[in-house]
Amino acid sequence: SSRIFMVWFIAHSIKQIQNEESVILFLVVWTVTEITRYSFYTFNLLNHLPYFIKWARYNFFIILYPAGVAGELLTIYAALPYVKKTGMFSLRLPNKYNVSFDYYYFLIIVMFSYVPLFPQLYFHMLRQRRRVLHGEKSERLSH
């Protein structure tokens, strides 16, 4: 869902940020990630998984994941002035629905949500890497 959000509600919707280097960064990271992931799936289905593909699947994320998150956060940050200036996707009171939504503050909340979520997902991948590449059991399973 974060990719749909980044593509449609940030990069596609805010033309002024489409040439930001941060957009290139997250798109390149996503591309390499998907090439690696689907190569892994394909070779696995063919019952012929080269070690390099397996190694790449469980090692590239170490650099790609933080780089992708950085690209996403920098892109959202670059979008903030345009969102604030235009009020895009925001709903102000009074209106017939009697609700208010401010997309600018929503984006700030999204950015802050990376703080607790990134470490959880990153350490999950590190545990999977250890289990798959080194045959170690998860700490939760070994007790």
Side-chain angles (χ1 to χ4, degrees):
S1 64
S2 72
R3 291 186 181 191
I4 293 169
F5 174 75
M6 287 302 300
V7 170
W8 287 105
F9 294 101
I10 302 292
H12 176 75
S13 300
I14 307 167
K15 307 281 186 237
Q16 296 88 337
I17 61 146
Q18 291 177 355
N19 291 326
E20 292 284 328
E21 291 175 359
S22 59
V23 174
I24 303 290
L25 176 61
F26 79 74
L27 289 176
V28 167
V29 165
W30 289 0
T31 301
V32 173
T33 299
E34 294 309 319
I35 290 169
T36 306
R37 177 180 305 162
Y38 287 105
S39 296
F40 175 84
Y41 292 155
T42 301
F43 284 111
N44 214 13
L45 284 171
L46 297 172
N47 291 320
H48 179 70
L49 181 61
Y51 183 76
F52 175 75
I53 299 294
K54 182 178 177 180
W55 180 90
R57 170 85 166 111
Y58 290 99
N59 281 292
F60 282 6
F61 82 91
I62 293 170
I63 299 298
L64 293 176
Y65 195 48
V69 165
E72 292 174 24
L73 287 172
L74 289 168
T75 300
I76 295 170
Y77 183 77
L80 288 174
Y82 301 102
V83 171
K84 187 170 188 146
K85 181 178 171 183
T86 64
M88 71 181 296
F89 300 143
S90 295
L91 185 60
R92 308 267 187 246
L93 286 172
N95 60 59
K96 67 181 181 177
Y97 305 110
N98 202 28
V99 294
S100 178
F101 175 75
D102 194 314
Y103 190 54
Y104 175 81
Y105 290 109
F106 173 77
L107 291 180
I108 291 171
I109 291 167
V110 167
M111 290 176 69
F112 277 110
S113 75
Y114 278 72
V115 173
L117 295 176
F118 171 78
Q120 273 188 311
L121 296 172
Y122 192 73
F123 289 124
H124 169 73
M125 286 298 296
L126 285 173
R127 284 189 300 273
Q128 277 199 250
R129 175 183 180 268
R130 189 170 46 240
R131 183 179 53 81
V132 171
L133 294 181
H134 304 294
E136 294 180 19
K137 291 184 179 179
S138 172
E139 291 174 15
R140 282 186 247 157
L141 295 175
S142 63
H143 286 95

